[in-house]
Amino acid sequence: MEPAFHGEDSYVSREGDSVDEMLFVGRGKLISVTTNGGRTGFFNSEWLRAGDFCGEELLTWALDPHSSTNLPFSTRTVRTLSEVEGFTLTPDNLKYVASEFRRTHNEQLRHLFRFYSKQWRTWAACFIQATWRKYHKKKLGESLRGEENRLQAVLRPS
């Protein structure tokens, strides 16, 4: 996950634009608004604050093993009401996390979580965080081993 900062009264995403990150809010307030693609007479809004997230269209895209390289479109406009700090996951990182999810859970379980559980979004966010920590720890270990090998090669007499 990468740290993210959005100033007051800025747009995180706009309805109809492609979603290029999933934002996990650590501090601040946002408003999420949708017109369901401009459908006449439809309007829905929701407040987001610390602990919430947006960009879940990217999660659905990443969980689909047959998804195209084209990013999904945002189904809502998300605007900050105050300064917002949090963390983001990029499409590539989310694809990695989703592949771990597919590897460890069967199709029936994924179907139940995605379509019937009222808490699937929260559960998915927790799973993403845990998998990302595991991935980051693995990458850090590889980096440290590489640096150690490089230093040993430099210090080794010829």
Side-chain angles (χ1 to χ4, degrees):
M1 296 183 99
E2 297 292 322
F5 176 81
H6 294 277
E8 183 177 352
D9 201 31
S10 64
Y11 288 91
V12 174
S13 66
R14 293 180 191 256
E15 190 172 3
D17 289 352
S18 59
V19 180
D20 58 358
E21 67 183 20
M22 189 169 176
L23 172 67
F24 296 86
V25 181
R27 181 181 68 84
K29 292 182 184 177
L30 303 96
I31 187 163
S32 170
V33 176
T34 185
T35 61
N36 198 21
R39 203 170 83 194
T40 306
F42 185 87
F43 178 83
N44 186 11
S45 66
E46 178 181 5
W47 301 98
L48 302 174
R49 61 184 188 280
D52 291 332
F53 59 93
C54 61
E56 65 273 2
E57 298 91 348
L58 202 56
L59 177 61
T60 303
W61 170 83
L63 286 172
D64 181 358
H66 305 294
S67 63
S68 69
T69 56
N70 298 331
L71 295 175
F73 295 109
S74 178
T75 58
R76 59 191 182 169
T77 298
V78 179
R79 184 174 54 88
T80 62
L81 299 174
S82 66
E83 290 183 342
V84 172
E85 291 181 21
F87 295 92
T88 61
L89 273 176
T90 63
D92 290 338
N93 292 335
L94 202 51
K95 272 285 190 188
Y96 170 79
V97 172
S99 71
E100 289 293 307
F101 176 75
R102 279 192 299 277
R103 191 172 61 98
T104 59
H105 294 84
N106 68 32
E107 186 64 35
Q108 184 178 9
L109 180 62
R110 285 199 314 269
H111 179 74
L112 289 171
F113 273 113
R114 288 179 67 192
F115 298 106
Y116 294 107
S117 173
K118 293 180 181 178
Q119 300 300 319
W120 81 269
R121 286 169 42 172
T122 302
W123 180 86
C126 292
F127 186 83
I128 286 168
Q129 290 172 354
T131 304
W132 180 252
R133 285 185 189 112
K134 176 182 159 189
Y135 172 76
H136 184 66
K137 186 177 179 181
K138 176 183 169 191
K139 285 298 191 183
L140 181 61
E142 290 172 0
S143 174
L144 290 173
R145 279 189 297 280
E147 183 65 18
E148 183 178 301
N149 292 340
R150 187 186 68 76
L151 288 173
Q152 285 177 355
V154 168
L155 297 174
R156 204 174 289 143
S158 300

